[in-house]
Amino acid sequence: MASLAQTVAELEQKEQELRQRIAHLQNHEQSLVSKELGTTQAVVERMILEGLTELEQRKQKLQISIEQLERRRERIREEMRTSFAGVSQELAIRVQGFKDYLVGSLQDLAAAAEQLELSQPPTEAPRSPLEDPPPPPTRGNPQFAEQAFKDEVRQIRQLLDQYRKMPDYYGPPWQLRRTFEPIHAEKVSQWFFSQGGRGALQTMGSRLQNVLIASAVISVLRTLYDNRLRTLVLANTPERLGEWRRGLQDCLGISRSDFGPERGVVLFEDPIALVQKAERLIKRDQLALIIVDETEDKISLSLLQFPLWLAFAPDPRQMYTYDDYP
């Protein structure tokens, strides 16, 4: 009995010790949990604060961008009211000023332009039915609406029909490689035959569609004039010029090596530099095709002196966010 009582006492003492250890472990666990929760809460609060700070910075940047876009929208609307609403007096003043500038500063070019405007189509001499027609002229400024260029007109129409009905997605470089719809053919025909290769077309609503139309024009002119044609693209940001480069590469099957100061396509942000380049090309008896992006707020009147230019005008009924163009 004494041994049993001693065993019971030892067990009770061990029980007490275990209870104390359990209580100690519970207290330690609670302290660890509290500490971990405090650390986690501090980390979460710091992350939330950093996230709020970043969101606030982005909000400020977005507000600045929105204000810039709103100011640009107002400028575009004002430009459209003066350009598309029929205010012809200001346009007449600008044209007259440009004419005076040409007469004063570019007399040789003005004389050549007036001579081209006043020249009549040459009268064809009678020839036998078996005689071959003379080849179309390969030098001088193109005038696609002139009767003297009827052979070129026929060739242009054939090319546009070929692009529309028999697209060649793996053709040689500088040939159009994309699907060409009737609406695109109508735009290109308008530019060639109604505007004589000099004029503005209303934007198709996206830069990708505008690049397709410009690519068709380049492909046709490249077929007619080969390496004599040089394309000069004007857009006001490097990002938009990059979109033009990628679009032309995709539509015409050309590479980056075809872009450069002495290559087939030259990209410009500044209209003054473009005009200087076009003048040098004309002096070397080359053809300069000038393409103006639809985001250009104002077009320099100096561009109007050249025989080939295509500008894309924004739709006056809609306002586009051009940075979101594909």
Side-chain angles (χ1 to χ4, degrees), residues 67-303:
E67 292 176 359
Q68 292 175 348
L69 289 174
E70 288 178 348
R71 289 195 297 268
R72 184 163 189 172
R73 180 183 64 183
E74 293 303 322
R75 290 198 303 269
I76 293 174
R77 284 179 174 175
E78 182 64 25
E79 183 68 20
M80 287 191 301
R81 280 195 293 269
T82 58
S83 300
F84 294 93
V87 184
S88 58
Q89 183 177 0
E90 182 179 358
L91 181 60
I93 294 174
R94 291 183 180 182
V95 172
Q96 183 63 36
F98 174 63
K99 182 178 179 181
D100 294 341
Y101 166 76
L102 284 181
V103 173
S105 302
L106 303 172
Q107 294 181 354
D108 294 337
L109 185 60
E114 291 176 2
Q115 183 179 1
L116 287 175
E117 292 177 0
L118 297 176
S119 62
Q120 299 295 330
T123 303
E124 296 184 358
R127 61 175 183 269
S128 63
L130 299 179
E131 183 180 355
D132 294 332
T138 57
R139 296 297 179 188
N141 295 332
Q143 299 181 18
F144 304 107
E146 295 285 344
Q147 182 66 25
F149 289 82
K150 60 182 180 180
D151 292 335
E152 289 186 354
V153 169
R154 186 185 306 110
Q155 188 174 0
I156 292 171
R157 295 190 185 279
Q158 291 175 352
L159 289 171
L160 295 181
D161 289 341
Q162 174 185 335
Y163 298 159
R164 185 167 56 87
K165 298 177 182 179
M166 296 178 294
D168 187 357
Y169 301 108
Y170 303 97
W174 300 105
Q175 179 177 312
L176 189 65
R177 293 187 174 189
R178 288 294 170 259
T179 302
F180 198 61
E181 302 292 345
I183 186 173
H184 304 135
E186 180 181 355
K187 290 281 188 179
V188 176
S189 298
Q190 175 187 343
W191 185 79
F192 271 113
F193 307 129
S194 299
Q195 299 175 332
R198 304 174 74 250
L201 296 177
Q202 185 170 295
T203 179
M204 295 292 293
S206 74
R207 184 169 289 108
L208 182 61
Q209 294 293 313
N210 294 343
V211 171
L212 176 60
I213 290 177
S215 298
V217 170
I218 295 172
S219 180
V220 170
L221 293 176
R222 193 83 180 188
T223 302
L224 294 176
Y225 300 102
D226 198 23
N227 293 330
R228 190 184 170 210
L229 178 74
R230 302 288 295 279
T231 302
L232 313 180
V233 180
L234 176 64
N236 52 22
T237 65
E239 293 78 11
R240 290 164 186 153
L241 288 175
E243 293 175 8
W244 272 97
R245 178 183 57 77
R246 292 189 295 271
L248 292 174
Q249 285 184 236
D250 181 64
C251 292
L252 295 173
I254 57 180
S255 63
R256 292 180 68 96
S257 61
D258 294 302
F259 293 81
E262 301 301 327
R263 302 292 181 176
V265 182
V266 192
L267 307 177
F268 293 91
E269 291 182 60
D270 183 10
I272 297 177
L274 186 148
V275 169
Q276 293 174 349
K277 179 64 175 178
E279 289 175 345
R280 289 195 296 269
L281 292 174
I282 296 299
K283 290 180 180 179
R284 297 205 300 260
D285 197 27
Q286 291 181 301
L287 286 177
L289 168 62
I290 299 172
I291 298 175
V292 182
D293 187 69
E294 72 274 16
T295 55
E296 286 295 315
D297 293 335
K298 297 178 182 179
I299 297 179
S300 173
L301 292 176
S302 300
L303 298 177

Side-chain angles (χ1 to χ4, degrees), residues 17-77:
E17 292 176 355
L18 289 174
R19 288 182 182 275
Q20 290 176 355
R21 291 181 64 183
I22 290 172
H24 178 72
L25 289 174
Q26 288 177 343
N27 292 334
H28 184 64
E29 180 183 7
Q30 288 179 355
S31 64
L32 288 176
V33 169
S34 300
K35 184 178 180 180
E36 188 69 25
L37 285 175
T39 304
T40 304
Q41 185 175 3
V43 172
V44 171
E45 290 177 354
R46 187 171 66 254
M47 291 176 62
I48 292 174
L49 182 60
E50 291 175 354
L52 289 175
T53 303
E54 183 180 357
L55 289 175
E56 185 67 25
Q57 293 175 352
R58 293 180 63 184
K59 178 183 176 182
Q60 293 177 357
K61 291 181 180 179
L62 286 174
Q63 288 177 343
I64 294 174
S65 299
I66 290 172
E67 292 176 359
Q68 292 175 348
L69 289 174
E70 288 178 348
R71 289 195 297 268
R72 184 163 189 172
R73 180 183 64 183
E74 293 303 322
R75 290 198 303 269
I76 293 174
R77 284 179 174 175

